[in-house]
Protein backbone atom coordinates (compact mmCIF):
# COMPACT_ATOMS: atom_id res chain seq x y z
CA UNK A 1 0.00 0.00 0.00
CA UNK A 2 1.29 3.43 -0.79
CA UNK A 3 2.20 5.28 2.35
CA UNK A 4 0.56 8.54 3.32
CA UNK A 5 3.98 10.16 3.33
CA UNK A 6 3.97 10.76 -0.42
CA UNK A 7 0.51 12.24 -0.19
CA UNK A 8 1.52 14.44 2.71
CA UNK A 9 4.56 15.64 0.79
CA UNK A 10 2.60 16.20 -2.42
CA UNK A 11 2.79 19.88 -3.38
CA UNK A 12 -0.48 21.62 -2.81
CA UNK A 13 -0.27 23.43 -6.14
CA UNK A 14 1.73 21.73 -8.86
CA UNK A 15 -0.10 22.82 -11.96
CA UNK A 16 -2.22 25.81 -11.00
CA UNK A 17 -3.55 27.86 -8.14
CA UNK A 18 -6.93 26.10 -7.92
CA UNK A 19 -5.90 22.45 -7.79
CA UNK A 20 -5.99 20.89 -4.33
CA UNK A 21 -4.39 17.51 -3.63
CA UNK A 22 -6.83 14.70 -3.16
CA UNK A 23 -6.19 11.14 -2.18
CA UNK A 24 -6.74 9.14 -5.35
CA UNK A 25 -8.34 5.72 -5.12
CA UNK A 26 -8.80 3.38 -8.07
CA UNK A 27 -11.25 0.47 -7.80
CA UNK A 28 -11.29 -2.51 -10.14
CA UNK A 29 -14.29 -4.82 -9.68
CA UNK A 30 -15.00 -8.42 -10.54
CA UNK A 31 -18.68 -7.81 -11.18
CA UNK A 32 -19.75 -5.89 -14.25
CA UNK A 33 -22.85 -4.27 -12.78
CA UNK A 34 -23.58 -4.72 -9.05
CA UNK A 35 -20.19 -3.81 -7.58
CA UNK A 36 -19.37 -1.06 -10.08
CA UNK A 37 -22.76 0.56 -9.62
CA UNK A 38 -22.52 0.33 -5.84
CA UNK A 39 -19.13 2.06 -5.59
CA UNK A 40 -20.10 4.81 -8.00
CA UNK A 41 -23.24 5.49 -5.94
CA UNK A 42 -21.28 5.22 -2.66
CA UNK A 43 -18.71 7.85 -3.59
CA UNK A 44 -21.52 10.23 -4.58
CA UNK A 45 -23.31 9.53 -1.31
CA UNK A 46 -20.38 10.19 1.03
CA UNK A 47 -19.20 13.27 -0.90
CA UNK A 48 -15.73 13.30 0.60
CA UNK A 49 -13.99 16.27 -1.08
CA UNK A 50 -10.60 14.97 -0.02
CA UNK A 51 -10.85 11.81 -2.09
CA UNK A 52 -11.05 11.18 -5.79
CA UNK A 53 -12.50 7.74 -6.52
CA UNK A 54 -12.53 6.17 -9.93
CA UNK A 55 -14.14 2.84 -10.79
CA UNK A 56 -12.41 1.14 -13.69
CA UNK A 57 -14.52 0.13 -16.67
CA UNK A 58 -12.76 -3.20 -17.04
CA UNK A 59 -13.91 -6.25 -15.07
CA UNK A 60 -12.99 -9.93 -14.81
CA UNK A 61 -12.42 -12.89 -12.51
CA UNK A 62 -10.08 -12.31 -9.52
CA UNK A 63 -6.75 -12.85 -11.28
CA UNK A 64 -7.84 -10.66 -14.18
CA UNK A 65 -9.00 -7.99 -11.73
CA UNK A 66 -5.54 -7.84 -10.15
CA UNK A 67 -3.80 -7.89 -13.53
CA UNK A 68 -5.96 -4.96 -14.66
CA UNK A 69 -5.25 -3.11 -11.42
CA UNK A 70 -1.50 -3.61 -11.80
CA UNK A 71 -1.59 -2.42 -15.40
CA UNK A 72 -3.60 0.72 -14.60
CA UNK A 73 -1.41 1.49 -11.60
CA UNK A 74 1.78 1.21 -13.64
CA UNK A 75 0.25 3.27 -16.45
CA UNK A 76 -0.54 6.08 -14.02
CA UNK A 77 2.96 5.90 -12.56
CA UNK A 78 4.42 6.17 -16.06
CA UNK A 79 2.26 9.22 -16.82
CA UNK A 80 3.29 10.78 -13.51
CA UNK A 81 6.95 10.35 -14.39
CA UNK A 82 6.62 11.58 -17.96
CA UNK A 83 4.60 14.66 -16.95
CA UNK A 84 6.56 15.27 -13.72
CA UNK A 85 3.30 15.33 -11.78
CA UNK A 86 2.92 13.00 -8.78
CA UNK A 87 -0.76 13.91 -8.63
CA UNK A 88 -1.33 11.52 -11.54
CA UNK A 89 -0.41 8.48 -9.43
CA UNK A 90 -3.02 6.41 -7.59
CA UNK A 91 -2.53 6.53 -3.83
CA UNK A 92 -4.53 3.33 -3.32
CA UNK A 93 -5.55 0.69 -5.83
CA UNK A 94 -8.20 -1.83 -4.82
CA UNK A 95 -9.54 -5.00 -6.36
CA UNK A 96 -13.04 -6.15 -5.36
CA UNK A 97 -13.44 -9.91 -5.76
CA UNK A 98 -15.50 -12.84 -4.54
CA UNK A 99 -14.25 -16.20 -3.31
CA UNK A 100 -16.97 -18.39 -4.89
CA UNK A 101 -15.10 -21.23 -6.59
CA UNK A 102 -12.37 -19.27 -8.31
CA UNK A 103 -9.41 -21.59 -8.80
CA UNK A 104 -6.87 -18.77 -9.15
CA UNK A 105 -7.79 -16.71 -6.11
CA UNK A 106 -4.52 -17.59 -4.33
CA UNK A 107 -2.57 -16.54 -7.40
CA UNK A 108 -4.53 -13.29 -7.49
CA UNK A 109 -3.75 -12.59 -3.83
CA UNK A 110 -0.04 -13.21 -4.35
CA UNK A 111 0.08 -10.89 -7.37
CA UNK A 112 -1.82 -8.22 -5.43
CA UNK A 113 0.59 -8.44 -2.49
CA UNK A 114 3.59 -8.20 -4.80
CA UNK A 115 2.24 -5.03 -6.42
CA UNK A 116 0.75 -3.24 -3.39
CA UNK A 117 -2.80 -3.79 -4.56
CA UNK A 118 -5.43 -4.00 -1.79
CA UNK A 119 -8.14 -6.62 -2.11
CA UNK A 120 -11.67 -6.38 -0.74
CA UNK A 121 -12.60 -10.06 -0.75
CA UNK A 122 -16.09 -11.34 0.00
CA UNK A 123 -16.75 -14.96 0.87
CA UNK A 124 -18.87 -16.19 -0.77
CA UNK A 125 -19.91 -13.07 -2.71
CA UNK A 126 -20.38 -9.30 -2.71
CA UNK A 127 -24.06 -9.71 -1.81
CA UNK A 128 -22.94 -10.69 1.71
CA UNK A 129 -21.81 -7.09 2.23
CA UNK A 130 -25.22 -5.79 1.14
CA UNK A 131 -27.00 -8.31 3.34
CA UNK A 132 -25.09 -7.14 6.44
CA UNK A 133 -26.81 -3.76 6.10
CA UNK A 134 -30.04 -5.48 7.14
CA UNK A 135 -29.13 -8.40 9.37
CA UNK A 136 -26.40 -10.47 10.97
CA UNK A 137 -25.11 -13.43 8.98
CA UNK A 138 -22.91 -15.57 11.18
CA UNK A 139 -23.61 -18.95 9.58
CA UNK A 140 -22.00 -20.29 6.42
CA UNK A 141 -23.98 -19.14 3.38
CA UNK A 142 -23.86 -19.94 -0.32
CA UNK A 143 -24.16 -17.30 -3.03
CA UNK A 144 -27.68 -18.30 -4.06
CA UNK A 145 -28.91 -18.21 -0.47
CA UNK A 146 -27.31 -14.83 0.20
CA UNK A 147 -28.95 -13.38 -2.90
CA UNK A 148 -32.32 -14.88 -2.00
CA UNK A 149 -32.24 -13.46 1.53
CA UNK A 150 -31.11 -10.08 0.19
CA UNK A 151 -34.16 -9.99 -2.09
CA UNK A 152 -36.39 -10.22 0.98
CA UNK A 153 -34.93 -6.89 2.09
CA UNK A 154 -34.62 -5.42 -1.42
CA UNK A 155 -37.52 -6.86 -3.43
CA UNK A 156 -36.36 -5.14 -6.61
CA UNK A 157 -32.82 -6.39 -6.32
CA UNK A 158 -31.63 -8.05 -9.51
CA UNK A 159 -27.89 -7.61 -9.91
CA UNK A 160 -28.17 -4.00 -8.87
CA UNK A 161 -28.31 -2.32 -5.44
CA UNK A 162 -30.51 0.58 -4.38
CA UNK A 163 -28.07 2.59 -2.25
CA UNK A 164 -30.69 4.82 -0.56
CA UNK A 165 -32.24 1.66 0.87
CA UNK A 166 -28.88 0.27 1.89
CA UNK A 167 -27.20 3.31 3.34
CA UNK A 168 -29.22 3.68 6.59
CA UNK A 169 -27.75 0.33 7.63
CA UNK A 170 -24.17 1.21 6.70
CA UNK A 171 -22.87 1.54 10.26
CA UNK A 172 -24.38 -1.81 11.22
CA UNK A 173 -22.86 -3.42 8.12
CA UNK A 174 -19.39 -2.16 9.06
CA UNK A 175 -19.72 -3.43 12.64
CA UNK A 176 -21.08 -6.80 11.50
CA UNK A 177 -18.33 -7.23 8.92
CA UNK A 178 -15.68 -6.34 11.52
CA UNK A 179 -17.21 -8.88 13.92
CA UNK A 180 -17.08 -11.59 11.25
CA UNK A 181 -13.42 -10.78 10.61
CA UNK A 182 -12.64 -10.91 14.34
CA UNK A 183 -14.41 -14.24 14.75
CA UNK A 184 -12.57 -15.69 11.75
CA UNK A 185 -9.26 -14.53 13.24
CA UNK A 186 -10.10 -16.11 16.61
CA UNK A 187 -10.72 -19.38 14.81
CA UNK A 188 -7.51 -19.03 12.78
CA UNK A 189 -9.53 -19.04 9.57
CA UNK A 190 -9.22 -15.55 8.06
CA UNK A 191 -11.35 -15.04 4.99
CA UNK A 192 -13.65 -17.91 5.82
CA UNK A 193 -17.32 -18.01 4.83
CA UNK A 194 -18.95 -15.67 5.78
CA UNK A 195 -16.55 -12.71 5.72
CA UNK A 196 -16.21 -9.58 3.61
CA UNK A 197 -13.49 -6.99 3.40
CA UNK A 198 -15.60 -4.46 1.50
CA UNK A 199 -15.96 -2.31 4.63
CA UNK A 200 -12.21 -1.63 4.58
CA UNK A 201 -12.58 -0.02 1.16
CA UNK A 202 -15.76 1.93 1.92
CA UNK A 203 -14.26 3.25 5.14
CA UNK A 204 -11.17 4.28 3.22
CA UNK A 205 -13.34 6.28 0.83
CA UNK A 206 -15.44 7.75 3.63
CA UNK A 207 -12.49 8.74 5.82
CA UNK A 208 -10.20 9.85 3.03
CA UNK A 209 -7.41 7.30 3.14
CA UNK A 210 -6.40 3.75 3.80
CA UNK A 211 -7.80 2.40 7.11
Amino acid sequence: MVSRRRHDERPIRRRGPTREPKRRILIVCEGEKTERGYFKDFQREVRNPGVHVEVASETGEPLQVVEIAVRLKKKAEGEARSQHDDNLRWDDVWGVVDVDEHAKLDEAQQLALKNDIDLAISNPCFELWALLHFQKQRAHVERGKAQAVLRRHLPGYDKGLDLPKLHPGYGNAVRRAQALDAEAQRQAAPGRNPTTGVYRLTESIRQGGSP
Side-chain angles (χ1 to χ4, degrees), residues 146-166:
Q147 292 174 332
V149 177
L150 180 59
R151 287 192 186 91
R152 297 176 194 166
H153 298 287
L154 294 174
Y157 163 70
D158 183 20
K159 302 299 290 181
L161 297 171
D162 188 345
L163 192 66
K165 294 181 180 177
L166 278 180

Side-chain angles (χ1 to χ4, degrees), residues 13-87:
R13 296 185 177 91
R14 292 289 301 267
R15 305 183 70 185
T18 61
R19 187 174 186 183
E20 295 297 329
K22 294 183 179 181
R23 195 161 188 84
R24 286 166 47 83
I25 299 175
L26 174 66
I27 302 172
V28 183
C29 298
E30 177 183 341
E32 186 173 349
K33 182 178 179 181
T34 303
E35 293 95 323
R36 294 187 68 242
Y38 171 79
F39 285 110
K40 287 183 176 180
D41 290 345
F42 185 85
Q43 66 164 314
R44 283 194 291 268
E45 179 70 22
V46 298
R47 295 178 181 176
N48 185 340
V51 179
H52 169 78
V53 178
E54 190 165 317
V55 184
S57 59
E58 299 176 72
T59 60
E61 50 80 29
L63 182 57
Q64 290 176 319
V65 164
V66 178
E67 289 173 341
I68 293 167
V70 171
R71 174 166 51 80
L72 294 178
K73 179 182 179 183
K74 290 183 176 179
K75 180 182 177 183
E77 290 172 347
E79 292 173 347
R81 284 194 298 272
S82 65
Q83 298 185 38
H84 306 288
D85 186 353
D86 278 349
N87 292 299

Side-chain angles (χ1 to χ4, degrees), residues 28-31 34-35 38-39 62 94-102 105 109 118-133 141-143 146 161 173 177 180-181 190-202:
V28 183
C29 298
E30 177 183 341
T34 303
E35 293 95 323
Y38 171 79
F39 285 110
W94 287 79
V96 180
V97 301
D98 295 347
V99 170
D100 273 346
E101 297 179 356
H102 292 301
L105 182 60
Q109 290 177 287
D118 288 298
L119 289 181
I121 302 175
S122 295
N123 189 355
C125 59
F126 185 79
E127 282 78 1
L128 172 66
W129 165 244
L131 185 58
L132 294 179
H133 289 66
V141 63
E142 300 296 336
R143 170 189 284 270
L161 297 171
L180 290 176
D181 266 354
R192 69 169 191 174
N193 183 327
T195 56
T196 175
V198 173
Y199 73 91
R200 295 175 47 236
L201 171 53
T202 55

